[in-house]
Amino acid sequence: MKVHPLSTFLLAGLSSVAQQVNGEVVTIHGSGTTNPSKCIWHIMSLFMERSLVATRLTYRAVGSSTGQMEFLGVNNTDENSGEDPFQHVPHTHFGAGDIPVPSAAYKALNDATNEGESNMLHLPFALSSISFFHSIPGIPDNDKGLKLNSCLLARIFDGKITRWDDPEILALNVSRGGHLKEVASRTNSGIYVARRVHGSSSTASVTKYLHEACKNEWPKSKVGSELGAKGLDEWHVRTKPCEGSGGMTECLKNNPGAIGYLDSGHGWSEGLAEVNLQNKDEYFLTSRYARDNGGITSAASFAMTPLRTDSDWGNVHYINKDGMNTWPIVVMSYVYLRKDINLFVDDHVTRGLLKLFLESLYDDDYFGKCTDLGFSKPPKNIIDMAKDGLNNYDDNQGLQWTFPVDFGQENMWSFESKDKTRKIEGAGKYVVSGKRQSLNGLTIEQIAGKETELESYIRSLATEMALEMKVLNTLEHEGNNAGKVQAALVLGALSFTLWMCVFVGWLLQRFLYGKKGHYQVPS
């Protein structure tokens, strides 16, 4: 297999991915945040399905901090090469994270690689939310569920409130007092408080929220992606470590009366019960309600952001912003990209595929399905800024794509949409065509997004079953045998339908979303 030679700056491990296209595979790879990983994988799968030449696009969901580390590539040089040991050589084509690259790291990259001038872009591409979830039996997952404000949450995570029947919690949840007292009586060890281990953008976001919204209870020394690291205070000893979003899910499911936090979309798909959180305008709401009423995008509208993608974004956040429907813990997912990309991907075909992939993050034909996974598009002004950053070649902001003269110095890769045929051109070697699909891809597209509809249907059936149970109990007390038989038949039919829906939900999760089938019936 003939591999195009790389520059001396490129890692040996990266050299196998930049290949000339003469029957070989064109490969793009990145790493970073787990939050939008399904969105990224979905778009990558469309590229591989719709490309004429063989393409391989991969993304490792390893967390924002690791994604930044692998993108920055500090000290990533061969000790025998004679190169500056503080050279920044990326391990990947792009990084991704739900937090901006810290200002100090941004400056160090620029100083080491571009004489202090900006040498990277932040490309904002998706908005999502972080939520608190609980596993208190009997409390529903809707606007009538558990209510908590920032100061109560701060005291819970700091070990000052240890029981669900604490007077302050009961005062805020009068109609749920019975459930709270019952779970408190069954959990002698108190509230099971779950938190993430290692560097996590969700930890950075919730600790930032607790500080911004309740400074008296949550000091700045407890704000960061990994408490206990880099001079930050430790978590309270009562908190329980859970690794990754999957680990947090298991901590919540396996411990009745637990509370923890993770990205909202993950919690929704797992059927976890969400806390109604108080926002800056003192309204209680869930992240699902906020998303459906523009409350995720509005957080970005209130945030102060730079005017250029190559600026320092280190102090930008979307936490505790104004607005009646605004969710208080919103995160922006960014792609991190080096401006001197031509040094690390010296094959113009691979660079072209990378550029087209990044453009797809702002194309509804590709990003559209990501909204079914709980993501929202950034405001138009931010999208326009990101597109400018991708396509500016002539000024200092622009990326060094340096496409060859025989392609008019333009990207050889392009799109053909599903709705508009490009006759002859659409059959070109470097066209990613929406007209080109596989049966597997078509099937996934048809059923993607049905999970939310299925969950709603299951909840309605569960409600009907609960009503039938009440009727059955009433008839039993009254001795009405005929009515009991009729109610039992209805209950049996509902039960059969419900479990068939659960089975279909398991299939969706197992084969569409690639997860274990542990679909839960909502209580």
Side-chain angles (χ1 to χ4, degrees), residues 4 6 17-21 26 345-352:
H4 195 85
L6 297 178
V17 305
Q19 302 168 348
Q20 291 181 329
V21 181
V26 190
V345 188
D346 73 343
D347 171 47
H348 57 265
V349 175
T350 305
R351 283 201 307 278

Side-chain angles (χ1 to χ4, degrees), residues 65 197-200 203-204 223-230 232-233 235:
S65 296
V197 295
H198 306 309
S200 161
T203 298
V223 176
S225 61
E226 185 175 5
L227 297 196
K230 299 179 181 179
L232 296 178
D233 293 348
W235 285 103

Side-chain angles (χ1 to χ4, degrees), residues 372 446-455 508 512-513 519:
D372 296 331
Q446 289 172 338
I447 64 177
K450 296 295 184 183
E451 191 178 33
T452 301
E453 181 181 332
L454 177 65
E455 287 178 357
L508 280 173
L512 174 59
Y513 297 105
Y519 204 87

